[in-house]
Amino acid sequence: GTAFIMWLGEQITERGIGNGMSLIIFAGIVARFPDALVQLLQKSSGQGDMTVFDLLVITGIVVSVIAAIIFFERGYRKIPVQYAKRVVGRKVYGGQSSHLPLKINVAGVIPPIFASSILLFPAQLAGFVQSSWMQRAADVLNPGDWRYNTLYVGLIIFFCYFYTAVTFNPVDIADNMKKYGGFIPGIRPGKKTAEYIDRVLTRLTLGGALYISAVCVLPTFLQQKFKVPFYFGGTSLLIVVGVALDTVQQIESHLITRNYENVTGPKGPRIRGRIPRAR
């Protein structure tokens, strides 16, 4: 079954729009939303223990969290970059202004996945090892406990910095900018540029880590404060919003490509997997 799902995801990626595996995961998460909505409406009815005011507050929190995720996932810091003019033969290159975009959330959903996996390990180990101190550790690391949430947030922040440090190297970016005659206004090329980029990225990563931590701790707050009967937030919500944004962006790219196909004529290039239009 797993092999078939992987094959199906590859087919969607090659012949459709968007990442196939991400869309399959997206569909599995969204399929649970109608049932959760029905449970919420039942609890807010006359027979439930939730008032209409609580329902309005929960709706406002849901809308605000989705808007915040869209804002942070699409947000980035622009670092201005100026390229000096170079004369090669009779041609002049460079001289234009550009920018270096730094995303707020570079790590994506990797930090909460790693953090939750590490925190679930003691509970699984306690099931095999019959020991009193292992049982106490498993009870402490129970989801919903304040000690679990504290460790969870700390691990998310750690993995955000760790993943960013592994995938983003300011020294290489500074060297490439220097090689092509680029520099940040007011910053000396080379080592000073790398230090400046690293300082800006460190601040951005802290903001992104706190944002991911807030989204991942949100389900515990909703279930304890408002007795919400479903799990809203965490990596599931990050995946749903991220996949939806990426799919919309790819649809826009395909529409732009379609317009270029009309310009090139009926014999021009086509997107792979698209059925030719009838003439």
Side-chain angles (χ1 to χ4, degrees), residues 40 52-68 218 221-222 226 232:
L40 183 63
V52 178
F53 177 75
D54 292 338
L55 181 61
L56 294 177
V57 171
I58 293 172
T59 304
I61 292 175
V62 168
V63 174
S64 301
V65 169
I66 293 176
L218 176 66
F221 170 76
L222 291 177
F226 296 99
F232 177 82

Side-chain angles (χ1 to χ4, degrees), residues 29-45 50 54-56 58-60 62-63 66 227-232:
I29 297 173
V30 172
R32 298 194 294 266
F33 281 2
D35 183 59
L37 182 60
V38 170
Q39 294 181 17
L40 183 63
L41 293 177
Q42 289 176 352
K43 287 182 69 66
S44 62
S45 62
M50 185 180 296
D54 292 338
L55 181 61
L56 294 177
I58 293 172
T59 304
V62 168
V63 174
I66 293 176
K227 302 296 187 295
V228 177
F230 60 90
Y231 188 89
F232 177 82

Side-chain angles (χ1 to χ4, degrees), residues 68-81 98-107 168 200-201 203-205 207-208 211 245-246 249:
I69 291 176
I70 294 173
F71 174 77
F72 279 100
E73 291 297 324
R74 285 290 177 253
Y76 56 89
R77 166 76 183 274
K78 291 182 179 181
I79 297 181
V81 179
S98 181
H99 66 271
L100 176 66
L102 298 179
K103 288 191 64 177
I104 298 177
N105 180 22
V106 179
F168 195 95
V200 173
L201 188 63
R203 296 174 180 176
L204 286 176
T205 304
Y211 137 72
L245 292 175
D246 292 339
Q249 186 176 8

